[in-house]
Amino acid sequence: MMTLLAPHSLILLFVIFFCEVAAQHSWIDWMRRRHVSQVQKAYGTHIDEKIKAKVPAAGGVVFLLIGSGLLLTHMIRGDRAGVIFWSYPILSAMVGLCDDMLKFKNSSSEGLRSLQKFALQATTTGLWFILLALDGKVPALFWGFSIGGWIWPLALFFAVGIQNSVNVTDGLDGLAAGASVVTFVVLASLSPEPYLGSLTGLAVALGFLWHNCHPSQVFMGDAGAHFLAGLMASCAFMGAGGVLVLIPVGTGFGIEMLSVVIQLIAIHGWGRRVFRMSPLHHHFQLLGWPEDRIVVRFLLVHTLCSLLCAAAAQSVAFFFMP
């Protein structure tokens, strides 16, 4: 099991953290000089809308640059497994970047349509699965338990699902970044992590949180949310226990996504709402909860659930898995 206390791990953590903080600072200045900010949704909560409309967006572009640098490093070293590992976060981020660019181009809060985004997510995920298969790598279902080729449809569901789950969670200052910090810590604790992927995700998320904590100086955007989600999938599929590990480590993200699904089913099926607004964090905003209270309590629930689920999963794996 990898330890975050190892000297080389600490060095990598601090280097990537400070690179993220410095690069994000430059990105914020660049965006401000060009008066580029995120267009607020017409159907949003309208809370602090004038303040948030002035905040630079697409901070996830910096994630993409860091990931591309790591990918290039593995390419130069001839490390094929490392190249495959880092390909998915970058492919995922490119989908999010397309969405961000359309929003900026059209000066709109709407980018890709839902079906367009899903098609791109499924296509890029399928391409990554081909790379895995050509290299002889088939993700486990759960801690070494394999179901062979039957894993691919399930893996597609979870890979695309985590992308959309992290994306919908990214709605309050520090919410998605803070939850990602917790997720990468849990991923790092579950198994030996290839290419220090979860440690890199932890450093990137922490560095972004430096600027994204309330009141936020920059928003993550779809590119950032997709990058972090793709990195979580790479960590789970290639080293941290298998496809189903995304359930315990992504509990909070799953709750947010589930609230969206429940709301859509209730509206289209019964013509009524279960929540005042989805995803769930907006429901509490409309109940009058302050933003920082929602974020802290969400992170507490996400942390406790992730740790409990991960502990339970490890116990099951210890007693029942080969």
Side-chain angles (χ1 to χ4, degrees):
M1 182 174 294
M2 184 188 74
T3 172
L4 297 182
L5 298 179
H8 69 279
S9 298
L10 282 174
I11 292 172
L12 180 66
L13 174 65
F14 280 104
V15 168
I16 295 179
F17 170 78
F18 285 114
C19 285
E20 167 64 29
V21 171
Q24 201 65 246
H25 179 76
S26 299
W27 176 254
I28 293 169
D29 286 344
W30 189 86
M31 294 285 277
R32 281 176 176 168
R33 287 196 300 269
R34 285 156 181 78
H35 305 287
V36 179
S37 59
Q38 183 166 291
V39 178
Q40 299 299 297
K41 294 181 178 180
Y43 52 86
T45 61
H46 304 298
I47 297 173
D48 296 331
E49 189 174 66
K50 291 183 179 179
I51 297 173
K52 292 183 180 293
K54 299 177 182 178
V55 177
V61 168
V62 176
F63 303 178
L64 184 56
L65 293 176
I66 292 174
S68 298
L70 292 167
L71 175 65
L72 182 60
T73 299
H74 286 287
M75 291 177 68
I76 293 172
R77 293 170 53 189
D79 183 357
R80 184 166 62 178
V83 170
I84 294 173
F85 181 90
W86 286 105
S87 293
Y88 192 54
I90 292 171
L91 286 170
S92 301
M94 294 303 294
V95 175
L97 185 61
C98 289
D99 199 35
D100 289 333
M101 291 177 68
L102 277 176
K103 292 174 182 176
F104 294 141
K105 179 183 177 182
N106 299 327
S107 298
S108 170
S109 62
E110 300 302 320
L112 293 167
R113 296 179 180 177
S114 297
L115 287 178
Q116 290 175 326
K117 182 180 287 187
F118 173 77
L120 286 174
Q121 291 169 336
T123 300
T124 52
T125 301
L127 290 173
W128 187 59
F129 285 172
I130 291 173
L131 291 177
L132 283 174
L134 289 175
D135 200 45
K137 293 181 174 62
V138 178
L141 177 67
F142 184 71
W143 256 290
F145 183 79
S146 175
I147 57 174
W150 295 101
I151 194 63
W152 298 116
L154 187 65
L156 178 67
F157 173 81
F158 275 91
V160 172
I162 193 65
Q163 289 182 50
N164 288 299
S165 298
V166 176
N167 200 29
V168 300
T169 303
D170 182 31
L172 298 179
D173 296 350
L175 184 58
S180 296
V181 168
V182 174
T183 294
F184 285 118
V185 169
V186 177
L187 278 170
S189 71
L190 291 179
S191 74
E193 186 57 41
Y195 320 115
L196 299 178
S198 57
L199 186 62
T200 301
L202 172 61
V204 167
L206 282 171
F208 183 73
L209 194 59
W210 182 272
H211 299 286
N212 185 239
C213 59
H214 186 71
S216 180
Q217 296 173 285
V218 63
F219 294 137
M220 185 183 297
D222 283 34
H226 279 69
F227 178 88
L228 293 176
L231 184 52
M232 292 172 195
S234 281
C235 291
F237 292 7
M238 292 185 69
V243 172
L244 295 186
V245 167
L246 287 176
I247 296 176
V249 303
T251 306
F253 301 121
I255 291 172
E256 289 275 60
M257 192 69 222
L258 185 61
S259 72
V260 174
V261 173
I262 291 173
Q263 187 84 323
L264 288 174
I265 292 175
I267 290 174
H268 294 290
W270 295 282
R272 57 181 299 178
R273 296 174 183 269
V274 175
F275 307 105
R276 293 194 176 188
M277 183 177 289
S278 65
L280 191 59
H281 56 261
H282 288 322
H283 171 77
F284 290 109
Q285 272 191 298
L286 294 179
L287 286 178
W289 287 27
E291 184 168 346
D292 53 355
R293 181 189 298 171
I294 298 171
V295 171
V296 170
R297 288 183 176 176
F298 178 93
L299 294 181
L300 288 173
V301 171
H302 177 60
T303 301
L304 291 172
C305 289
S306 294
L307 291 176
L308 288 173
C309 289
Q314 283 187 307
S315 298
V316 170
F318 179 78
F319 287 106
F320 298 105
M321 296 301 175

PDB file of all heavy atoms in Angstrom, residues 43 87 91 105 111 115 130 141-142 146 154 157 162 168 177 186 189 192 197 220 258 290 293 304 311:
ATOM      1  N   TYR A  43     -31.989  29.471 -15.120  1.00  0.00           N
ATOM      2  CA  TYR A  43     -32.892  28.733 -14.232  1.00  0.00           C
ATOM      3  C   TYR A  43     -32.211  28.388 -12.908  1.00  0.00           C
ATOM      4  O   TYR A  43     -32.654  27.489 -12.198  1.00  0.00           O
ATOM      5  CB  TYR A  43     -33.359  27.435 -14.923  1.00  0.00           C
ATOM      6  CG  TYR A  43     -32.232  26.582 -15.457  1.00  0.00           C
ATOM      7  CD1 TYR A  43     -31.581  25.666 -14.647  1.00  0.00           C
ATOM      8  CD2 TYR A  43     -31.815  26.711 -16.779  1.00  0.00           C
ATOM      9  CE1 TYR A  43     -30.543  24.895 -15.128  1.00  0.00           C
ATOM     10  CE2 TYR A  43     -30.780  25.943 -17.277  1.00  0.00           C
ATOM     11  CZ  TYR A  43     -30.153  25.026 -16.447  1.00  0.00           C
ATOM     12  OH  TYR A  43     -29.118  24.269 -16.947  1.00  0.00           O
ATOM     13  N   SER A  87      -4.149   8.959 -20.150  1.00  0.00           N
ATOM     14  CA  SER A  87      -4.941   9.273 -21.338  1.00  0.00           C
ATOM     15  C   SER A  87      -6.398   9.554 -20.978  1.00  0.00           C
ATOM     16  O   SER A  87      -7.032  10.444 -21.561  1.00  0.00           O
ATOM     17  CB  SER A  87      -4.878   8.122 -22.345  1.00  0.00           C
ATOM     18  OG  SER A  87      -3.591   7.968 -22.871  1.00  0.00           O
ATOM     19  N   LEU A  91      -8.621  12.720 -22.010  1.00  0.00           N
ATOM     20  CA  LEU A  91      -9.750  12.537 -22.923  1.00  0.00           C
ATOM     21  C   LEU A  91     -11.042  13.069 -22.301  1.00  0.00           C
ATOM     22  O   LEU A  91     -11.846  13.732 -22.963  1.00  0.00           O
ATOM     23  CB  LEU A  91      -9.909  11.051 -23.264  1.00  0.00           C
ATOM     24  CG  LEU A  91      -8.890  10.440 -24.228  1.00  0.00           C
ATOM     25  CD1 LEU A  91      -9.049   8.928 -24.265  1.00  0.00           C
ATOM     26  CD2 LEU A  91      -9.056  11.035 -25.627  1.00  0.00           C
ATOM     27  N   LYS A 105     -18.186  30.842 -26.249  1.00  0.00           N
ATOM     28  CA  LYS A 105     -18.427  31.299 -27.622  1.00  0.00           C
ATOM     29  C   LYS A 105     -19.822  31.885 -27.780  1.00  0.00           C
ATOM     30  O   LYS A 105     -20.013  32.921 -28.425  1.00  0.00           O
ATOM     31  CB  LYS A 105     -18.237  30.138 -28.595  1.00  0.00           C
ATOM     32  CG  LYS A 105     -18.494  30.509 -30.056  1.00  0.00           C
ATOM     33  CD  LYS A 105     -18.355  29.302 -30.970  1.00  0.00           C
ATOM     34  CE  LYS A 105     -18.684  29.676 -32.407  1.00  0.00           C
ATOM     35  NZ  LYS A 105     -18.597  28.485 -33.313  1.00  0.00           N
ATOM     36  N   GLY A 111     -23.937  24.661 -23.002  1.00  0.00           N
ATOM     37  CA  GLY A 111     -22.929  24.258 -23.971  1.00  0.00           C
ATOM     38  C   GLY A 111     -23.431  23.098 -24.799  1.00  0.00           C
ATOM     39  O   GLY A 111     -24.372  23.230 -25.579  1.00  0.00           O
ATOM     40  N   LEU A 115     -27.459  14.828 -24.873  1.00  0.00           N
ATOM     41  CA  LEU A 115     -27.150  13.663 -25.698  1.00  0.00           C
ATOM     42  C   LEU A 115     -25.791  13.813 -26.376  1.00  0.00           C
ATOM     43  O   LEU A 115     -25.058  12.825 -26.534  1.00  0.00           O
ATOM     44  CB  LEU A 115     -28.247  13.445 -26.746  1.00  0.00           C
ATOM     45  CG  LEU A 115     -29.573  12.905 -26.211  1.00  0.00           C
ATOM     46  CD1 LEU A 115     -30.596  12.774 -27.338  1.00  0.00           C
ATOM     47  CD2 LEU A 115     -29.370  11.549 -25.533  1.00  0.00           C
ATOM     48  N   ILE A 130     -10.396   0.524 -25.408  1.00  0.00           N
ATOM     49  CA  ILE A 130      -9.643  -0.159 -26.462  1.00  0.00           C
ATOM     50  C   ILE A 130      -8.156  -0.163 -26.127  1.00  0.00           C
ATOM     51  O   ILE A 130      -7.466  -1.180 -26.281  1.00  0.00           O
ATOM     52  CB  ILE A 130      -9.898   0.512 -27.831  1.00  0.00           C
ATOM     53  CG1 ILE A 130     -11.341   0.260 -28.271  1.00  0.00           C
ATOM     54  CG2 ILE A 130      -8.922  -0.022 -28.882  1.00  0.00           C
ATOM     55  CD1 ILE A 130     -11.738   1.018 -29.532  1.00  0.00           C
ATOM     56  N   LEU A 141     -13.803  -6.332 -11.258  1.00  0.00           N
ATOM     57  CA  LEU A 141     -15.087  -5.843 -10.756  1.00  0.00           C
ATOM     58  C   LEU A 141     -14.900  -5.248  -9.371  1.00  0.00           C
ATOM     59  O   LEU A 141     -15.356  -4.131  -9.092  1.00  0.00           O
ATOM     60  CB  LEU A 141     -16.102  -6.983 -10.696  1.00  0.00           C
ATOM     61  CG  LEU A 141     -17.471  -6.627 -10.109  1.00  0.00           C
ATOM     62  CD1 LEU A 141     -18.208  -5.667 -11.031  1.00  0.00           C
ATOM     63  CD2 LEU A 141     -18.304  -7.882  -9.871  1.00  0.00           C
ATOM     64  N   PHE A 142     -14.172  -5.987  -8.538  1.00  0.00           N
ATOM     65  CA  PHE A 142     -14.041  -5.565  -7.144  1.00  0.00           C
ATOM     66  C   PHE A 142     -12.898  -6.321  -6.497  1.00  0.00           C
ATOM     67  O   PHE A 142     -12.952  -7.535  -6.338  1.00  0.00           O
ATOM     68  CB  PHE A 142     -15.355  -5.835  -6.408  1.00  0.00           C
ATOM     69  CG  PHE A 142     -15.399  -5.356  -4.990  1.00  0.00           C
ATOM     70  CD1 PHE A 142     -15.456  -4.005  -4.711  1.00  0.00           C
ATOM     71  CD2 PHE A 142     -15.382  -6.254  -3.940  1.00  0.00           C
ATOM     72  CE1 PHE A 142     -15.506  -3.557  -3.397  1.00  0.00           C
ATOM     73  CE2 PHE A 142     -15.432  -5.823  -2.627  1.00  0.00           C
ATOM     74  CZ  PHE A 142     -15.483  -4.465  -2.362  1.00  0.00           C
ATOM     75  N   SER A 146     -12.804 -10.885 -11.001  1.00  0.00           N
ATOM     76  CA  SER A 146     -12.974 -10.535 -12.410  1.00  0.00           C
ATOM     77  C   SER A 146     -14.199 -11.223 -12.998  1.00  0.00           C
ATOM     78  O   SER A 146     -14.524 -12.365 -12.636  1.00  0.00           O
ATOM     79  CB  SER A 146     -11.727 -10.946 -13.199  1.00  0.00           C
ATOM     80  OG  SER A 146     -11.917 -10.712 -14.579  1.00  0.00           O
ATOM     81  N   LEU A 154     -20.466  -2.406 -17.750  1.00  0.00           N
ATOM     82  CA  LEU A 154     -20.571  -1.862 -16.395  1.00  0.00           C
ATOM     83  C   LEU A 154     -19.536  -0.768 -16.169  1.00  0.00           C
ATOM     84  O   LEU A 154     -19.832   0.267 -15.553  1.00  0.00           O
ATOM     85  CB  LEU A 154     -20.381  -2.986 -15.371  1.00  0.00           C
ATOM     86  CG  LEU A 154     -20.617  -2.614 -13.901  1.00  0.00           C
ATOM     87  CD1 LEU A 154     -22.076  -2.226 -13.679  1.00  0.00           C
ATOM     88  CD2 LEU A 154     -20.218  -3.782 -12.990  1.00  0.00           C
ATOM     89  N   PHE A 157     -20.698   2.413 -17.751  1.00  0.00           N
ATOM     90  CA  PHE A 157     -21.718   3.066 -16.931  1.00  0.00           C
ATOM     91  C   PHE A 157     -21.078   3.864 -15.796  1.00  0.00           C
ATOM     92  O   PHE A 157     -21.446   5.023 -15.552  1.00  0.00           O
ATOM     93  CB  PHE A 157     -22.677   2.016 -16.363  1.00  0.00           C
ATOM     94  CG  PHE A 157     -23.672   2.550 -15.379  1.00  0.00           C
ATOM     95  CD1 PHE A 157     -24.822   3.192 -15.820  1.00  0.00           C
ATOM     96  CD2 PHE A 157     -23.461   2.430 -14.016  1.00  0.00           C
ATOM     97  CE1 PHE A 157     -25.756   3.700 -14.912  1.00  0.00           C
ATOM     98  CE2 PHE A 157     -24.379   2.935 -13.104  1.00  0.00           C
ATOM     99  CZ  PHE A 157     -25.526   3.566 -13.557  1.00  0.00           C
ATOM    100  N   ILE A 162     -19.452   8.762 -13.223  1.00  0.00           N
ATOM    101  CA  ILE A 162     -18.640   9.578 -12.308  1.00  0.00           C
ATOM    102  C   ILE A 162     -18.344  10.932 -12.930  1.00  0.00           C
ATOM    103  O   ILE A 162     -18.256  11.945 -12.225  1.00  0.00           O
ATOM    104  CB  ILE A 162     -17.335   8.839 -11.906  1.00  0.00           C
ATOM    105  CG1 ILE A 162     -16.663   9.543 -10.721  1.00  0.00           C
ATOM    106  CG2 ILE A 162     -16.384   8.719 -13.071  1.00  0.00           C
ATOM    107  CD1 ILE A 162     -17.437   9.519  -9.444  1.00  0.00           C
ATOM    108  N   VAL A 168     -22.090  17.677 -11.828  1.00  0.00           N
ATOM    109  CA  VAL A 168     -23.266  18.293 -11.205  1.00  0.00           C
ATOM    110  C   VAL A 168     -22.958  18.751  -9.783  1.00  0.00           C
ATOM    111  O   VAL A 168     -23.623  19.649  -9.253  1.00  0.00           O
ATOM    112  CB  VAL A 168     -24.491  17.350 -11.203  1.00  0.00           C
ATOM    113  CG1 VAL A 168     -24.883  16.970 -12.614  1.00  0.00           C
ATOM    114  CG2 VAL A 168     -24.246  16.108 -10.355  1.00  0.00           C
ATOM    115  N   ALA A 177     -14.227  20.429  -5.525  1.00  0.00           N
ATOM    116  CA  ALA A 177     -12.788  20.307  -5.246  1.00  0.00           C
ATOM    117  C   ALA A 177     -12.555  19.681  -3.873  1.00  0.00           C
ATOM    118  O   ALA A 177     -11.713  18.794  -3.718  1.00  0.00           O
ATOM    119  CB  ALA A 177     -12.117  21.677  -5.322  1.00  0.00           C
ATOM    120  N   VAL A 186      -8.972   8.680  -0.029  1.00  0.00           N
ATOM    121  CA  VAL A 186      -9.488   7.323   0.165  1.00  0.00           C
ATOM    122  C   VAL A 186      -8.933   6.381  -0.902  1.00  0.00           C
ATOM    123  O   VAL A 186      -8.534   5.248  -0.606  1.00  0.00           O
ATOM    124  CB  VAL A 186     -11.033   7.317   0.148  1.00  0.00           C
ATOM    125  CG1 VAL A 186     -11.565   5.893   0.283  1.00  0.00           C
ATOM    126  CG2 VAL A 186     -11.587   8.185   1.270  1.00  0.00           C
ATOM    127  N   SER A 189      -5.540   5.270  -0.111  1.00  0.00           N
ATOM    128  CA  SER A 189      -5.438   4.369   1.044  1.00  0.00           C
ATOM    129  C   SER A 189      -5.872   2.948   0.730  1.00  0.00           C
ATOM    130  O   SER A 189      -5.611   2.032   1.509  1.00  0.00           O
ATOM    131  CB  SER A 189      -6.298   4.908   2.200  1.00  0.00           C
ATOM    132  OG  SER A 189      -7.676   4.755   1.909  1.00  0.00           O
ATOM    133  N   PRO A 192      -2.050  -0.169  -3.560  1.00  0.00           N
ATOM    134  CA  PRO A 192      -0.906   0.465  -4.198  1.00  0.00           C
ATOM    135  C   PRO A 192      -1.375   1.191  -5.456  1.00  0.00           C
ATOM    136  O   PRO A 192      -2.016   0.609  -6.311  1.00  0.00           O
ATOM    137  CB  PRO A 192       0.003  -0.719  -4.556  1.00  0.00           C
ATOM    138  CG  PRO A 192      -0.412  -1.799  -3.628  1.00  0.00           C
ATOM    139  CD  PRO A 192      -1.885  -1.615  -3.425  1.00  0.00           C
ATOM    140  N   GLY A 197      -1.189   8.259  -9.224  1.00  0.00           N
ATOM    141  CA  GLY A 197      -2.318   8.991  -9.786  1.00  0.00           C
ATOM    142  C   GLY A 197      -3.184   9.663  -8.747  1.00  0.00           C
ATOM    143  O   GLY A 197      -3.552  10.833  -8.890  1.00  0.00           O
ATOM    144  N   MET A 220     -14.229  25.881 -11.564  1.00  0.00           N
ATOM    145  CA  MET A 220     -13.582  24.735 -12.182  1.00  0.00           C
ATOM    146  C   MET A 220     -13.985  24.546 -13.636  1.00  0.00           C
ATOM    147  O   MET A 220     -13.158  24.292 -14.507  1.00  0.00           O
ATOM    148  CB  MET A 220     -13.925  23.479 -11.370  1.00  0.00           C
ATOM    149  CG  MET A 220     -13.226  22.218 -11.804  1.00  0.00           C
ATOM    150  SD  MET A 220     -13.776  20.788 -10.823  1.00  0.00           S
ATOM    151  CE  MET A 220     -13.235  21.240  -9.182  1.00  0.00           C
ATOM    152  N   LEU A 258     -27.895  11.306  -7.853  1.00  0.00           N
ATOM    153  CA  LEU A 258     -29.164  10.642  -7.568  1.00  0.00           C
ATOM    154  C   LEU A 258     -30.280  11.667  -7.371  1.00  0.00           C
ATOM    155  O   LEU A 258     -31.418  11.440  -7.802  1.00  0.00           O
ATOM    156  CB  LEU A 258     -29.021   9.772  -6.321  1.00  0.00           C
ATOM    157  CG  LEU A 258     -30.233   8.911  -5.941  1.00  0.00           C
ATOM    158  CD1 LEU A 258     -30.566   7.931  -7.061  1.00  0.00           C
ATOM    159  CD2 LEU A 258     -29.966   8.156  -4.641  1.00  0.00           C
ATOM    160  N   PRO A 290     -26.634  29.068   4.347  1.00  0.00           N
ATOM    161  CA  PRO A 290     -25.488  29.771   3.765  1.00  0.00           C
ATOM    162  C   PRO A 290     -24.620  28.795   2.959  1.00  0.00           C
ATOM    163  O   PRO A 290     -24.540  27.607   3.277  1.00  0.00           O
ATOM    164  CB  PRO A 290     -24.719  30.293   4.991  1.00  0.00           C
ATOM    165  CG  PRO A 290     -25.684  30.222   6.119  1.00  0.00           C
ATOM    166  CD  PRO A 290     -26.619  29.103   5.821  1.00  0.00           C
ATOM    167  N   ARG A 293     -21.948  26.781   4.853  1.00  0.00           N
ATOM    168  CA  ARG A 293     -22.507  25.734   5.704  1.00  0.00           C
ATOM    169  C   ARG A 293     -22.856  24.502   4.882  1.00  0.00           C
ATOM    170  O   ARG A 293     -22.594  23.357   5.298  1.00  0.00           O
ATOM    171  CB  ARG A 293     -23.756  26.226   6.430  1.00  0.00           C
ATOM    172  CG  ARG A 293     -24.379  25.180   7.357  1.00  0.00           C
ATOM    173  CD  ARG A 293     -25.728  25.610   7.885  1.00  0.00           C
ATOM    174  NE  ARG A 293     -25.619  26.828   8.683  1.00  0.00           N
ATOM    175  CZ  ARG A 293     -26.663  27.521   9.134  1.00  0.00           C
ATOM    176  NH1 ARG A 293     -27.893  27.114   8.837  1.00  0.00           N
ATOM    177  NH2 ARG A 293     -26.488  28.611   9.849  1.00  0.00           N
ATOM    178  N   LEU A 304     -17.429  10.952   5.854  1.00  0.00           N
ATOM    179  CA  LEU A 304     -17.859   9.858   6.718  1.00  0.00           C
ATOM    180  C   LEU A 304     -18.369   8.669   5.910  1.00  0.00           C
ATOM    181  O   LEU A 304     -18.000   7.514   6.183  1.00  0.00           O
ATOM    182  CB  LEU A 304     -18.943  10.346   7.685  1.00  0.00           C
ATOM    183  CG  LEU A 304     -18.482  11.334   8.764  1.00  0.00           C
ATOM    184  CD1 LEU A 304     -19.687  11.882   9.521  1.00  0.00           C
ATOM    185  CD2 LEU A 304     -17.509  10.658   9.734  1.00  0.00           C
ATOM    186  N   ALA A 311     -14.137   1.170   4.344  1.00  0.00           N
ATOM    187  CA  ALA A 311     -13.779   0.206   5.389  1.00  0.00           C
ATOM    188  C   ALA A 311     -14.598  -1.076   5.246  1.00  0.00           C
ATOM    189  O   ALA A 311     -14.071  -2.187   5.370  1.00  0.00           O
ATOM    190  CB  ALA A 311     -13.998   0.829   6.766  1.00  0.00           C
TER     191      ALA A 311
END
